[in-house]
């Protein structure tokens, strides 16, 4: 060991007599200097009472509250502050030919060649990624589309494939309806609402029976809070007037009335039936509001509506809040009402259509 240098630490053990070994340092003259826990003959120390200090730690905390943090404290805090990417799990359901695949194709980059979607069989999977502003990591949205031709008990089982108990905190549900067949819109909406709500309730019950009642209650509480975001932002009031009368789904829910352009088709029953169109809009607004869902009318053939829906997908799939919080409630235009953006009083006050 060079003069002035720190002594080197060695661990030595005799190959035949383990009791003859020991831990010592070499002094400047080469003499062995044993620790306080071991004698010069290599006697084995009493490990049952020996405190072994670890790097960065001390057997006794000698630091004062005002002492600056050590490098190990800073590394530990940095590990806690690491921003982890979000992974969401979404399921799109609806009748066959309702436009689910066409709407999901909007997630493709601008300018991408979009082929005519083929009929979905069972479950089909796609994903979308979104870059973070402060990190090289990307959020990922896992998206499943349930084929509209599926019938029977197998449908409920397929719903449970992507939407599991563990995925509830970042899950998203979307019901896509077909406005080109207005007579089927409300029955289809009621059918899927019932199936999805039953599934979510069952998953919440699983949490409670497994001893995670707090987690289930927290999801329901967050849903009630999210229902009030738009109202508080626009009206500066403490609570939404319908807080006690609605039952928000514990998972973000979007009701999409697709093919808005088909309303004007000559063969569409609503093309000249303004009363029927308003009645349909009122029912969908009621169902969306009662379930704490976002309601949006869109069309894959309208560029402006495409842009609007693509923006909605981005916010919803990645659990962000649309700060613009725009609303459109006129039945003569493509409706757009975020969750909590409607009231039962408005629905009742609308009354009959003025022809």
């Amino acid at each position: 060991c060079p003069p002035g240098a720190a002594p080197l630490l060695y661990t030595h053990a005799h190959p035949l007599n383990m009791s003859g070994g020991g831990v010592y340092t070499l002094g400047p003259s080469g003499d062995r200097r044993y620790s306080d826990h071991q004698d010069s003959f290599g006697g084995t120390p009493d490990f049952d009472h020996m405190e072994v200090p670890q790097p960065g730690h001390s057997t006794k905390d000698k630091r004062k509250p005002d002492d600056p943090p050590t490098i190990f404290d800073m590394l530990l805090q940095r590990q806690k502050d690491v921003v982890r990417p979000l992974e969401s799990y979404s399921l799109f359901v609806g009748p066959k030919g309702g436009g689910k695949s066409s709407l999901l194709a909007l997630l493709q980059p601008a300018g991408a060649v979009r082929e005519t979607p083929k009929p979905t069989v069972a479950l089909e999977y796609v994903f979308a990624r979104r870059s973070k502003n402060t990190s090289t990591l990307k959020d990922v949205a896992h998206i499943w589309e349930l084929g509209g031709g599926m019938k029977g008990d197998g449908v409920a089982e397929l719903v449970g494939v992507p939407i599991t108990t563990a995925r509830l905190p970042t899950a998203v549900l979307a019901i896509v309806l077909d406005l080109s067949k207005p007579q089927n819109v409300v029955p289809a909406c009621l059918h899927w609402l019932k199936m999805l709500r039953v599934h979510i309730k069952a998953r919440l019950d699983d949490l409670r029976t497994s001893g995670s009642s707090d987690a289930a209650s927290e999801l329901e509480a967050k849903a009630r809070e999210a229902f009030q975001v738009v109202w508080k932002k626009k009206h500066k009031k403490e609570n939404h007037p319908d807080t006690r009368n609605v039952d928000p789904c514990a998972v973000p829910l979007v009701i999409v009335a697709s093919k808005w352009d088909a309303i004007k088709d000559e063969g569409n029953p609503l093309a000249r039936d303004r009363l029927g169109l308003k009645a349909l809009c009122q029912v969908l607004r009621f169902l969306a509001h009662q379930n704490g869902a976002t309601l949006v009318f869109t069309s894959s053939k309208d560029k402006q509506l495409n842009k609007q829906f693509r923006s909605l997908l981005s916010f919803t799939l990645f659990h962000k809040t649309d700060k613009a919080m725009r609303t459109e409630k006129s039945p003569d235009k493509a409706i757009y009402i975020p969750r909590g953006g409607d009231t039962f009083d408005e629905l009742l006050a609308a009354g009959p259509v003025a022809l």
Side-chain angles (χ1 to χ4, degrees):
C1 181
L8 298 178
L9 179 65
Y10 287 86
T11 301
H12 168 75
H14 193 279
L16 298 178
N17 183 5
M18 295 300 293
S19 64
V23 178
Y24 57 86
T25 60
L26 291 182
S29 61
D31 58 314
R32 298 180 181 181
R33 297 180 180 178
Y34 292 87
S35 65
D36 294 337
H37 295 282
Q38 182 174 299
D39 57 35
S40 59
F41 296 99
T44 304
D46 184 0
F47 284 100
D48 290 336
H49 298 87
M50 181 179 178
E51 295 179 3
V52 182
Q54 300 296 325
H57 297 276
S58 174
T59 56
K60 294 183 179 180
D61 189 4
K62 299 179 180 180
R63 294 178 55 204
K64 298 179 180 179
D66 297 335
D67 288 349
T70 66
I71 184 64
F72 300 101
D73 294 331
M74 291 187 287
L75 287 174
L76 182 61
Q77 185 60 42
R78 184 174 181 181
Q79 184 177 9
K80 292 180 179 179
D81 295 338
V82 169
V83 178
R84 291 178 173 80
L86 169 76
E87 285 194 74
S88 68
Y89 304 88
S90 306
L91 177 64
F92 281 66
V93 301
K96 182 179 180 180
K100 299 183 293 296
S101 299
S102 297
L103 293 176
L104 288 176
L106 297 176
L107 291 171
Q108 297 177 6
V113 178
R114 294 170 183 164
E115 300 178 355
T116 302
K118 298 179 181 179
T120 302
V121 178
L123 278 173
E124 290 193 4
Y125 169 83
V126 296
F127 70 94
R129 291 184 296 185
R130 175 173 175 169
S131 299
K132 287 179 170 291
N133 295 331
T134 59
S135 173
T136 57
L137 301 175
K138 293 184 177 181
D139 294 335
V140 180
H142 303 279
I143 308 164
W144 284 264
E145 177 191 346
L146 180 60
M150 299 294 296
K151 296 181 180 180
D153 296 336
V155 179
E157 294 181 3
L158 288 175
V159 169
V161 172
I163 309 300
T164 63
T165 304
R167 294 172 175 175
L168 286 182
T170 57
V172 176
L173 299 172
I175 301 173
V176 181
L177 307 171
D178 186 357
L179 288 176
S180 68
K181 301 175 181 178
Q183 68 278 10
N184 298 331
V185 169
V186 174
C189 188
L190 291 171
H191 167 75
W192 288 110
L193 276 173
K194 180 180 179 180
M195 180 176 292
L196 295 178
R197 293 301 300 261
V198 167
H199 178 76
I200 297 301
K201 183 180 183 301
R203 300 292 73 77
L204 292 173
D205 289 342
D206 288 344
L207 282 175
R208 292 188 168 96
T209 55
S210 64
S212 300
S213 296
D214 291 345
S217 299
E218 184 179 354
L219 286 172
E220 293 171 332
K222 285 184 177 180
R224 289 191 292 270
E225 290 176 7
F227 177 80
Q228 301 210 54
V229 169
V230 173
W231 183 263
K232 288 183 177 180
K233 182 72 175 180
K234 288 193 171 185
H235 300 276
K236 308 298 181 183
K237 292 186 177 181
E238 184 176 351
N239 290 315
H240 191 289
D242 298 331
T243 301
R244 297 183 179 181
N245 301 318
V246 297
D247 181 22
C249 182
V251 169
L253 174 63
V254 182
I255 298 177
V256 185
S258 183
K259 302 184 182 181
W260 167 249
D261 58 288
I263 290 292
K264 300 177 182 179
D265 290 348
E266 187 174 343
N268 193 309
L270 298 180
R272 299 180 180 179
D273 185 1
R274 190 167 182 271
L275 181 61
L277 175 59
K278 181 173 182 180
L280 177 62
C281 292
Q282 296 288 86
V283 173
L284 290 179
R285 283 177 60 184
F286 174 84
L287 292 175
H289 188 56
Q290 176 64 34
N291 290 275
T294 294
L295 176 63
V296 56
F297 283 31
T298 190
S299 169
S300 60
K301 297 181 180 180
D302 187 299
K303 290 184 178 181
Q304 185 61 33
L305 293 181
N306 277 350
K307 182 179 179 181
Q308 173 183 282
F309 186 73
R310 194 171 189 275
S311 176
L312 173 64
L313 278 180
S314 179
F315 285 116
T316 305
L317 296 180
F318 295 102
H319 291 256
K320 305 294 182 182
T321 301
D322 184 359
K323 295 181 180 180
M325 296 185 180
R326 60 176 298 274
T327 59
E328 179 57 67
K329 300 177 182 178
S330 172
D332 298 320
K333 299 179 180 180
I335 288 178
Y336 186 99
I337 308 175
R339 57 182 171 182
D342 216 337
T343 66
F344 289 133
D345 285 343
E346 286 184 81
L347 290 168
L348 292 173
V353 178
L355 299 175

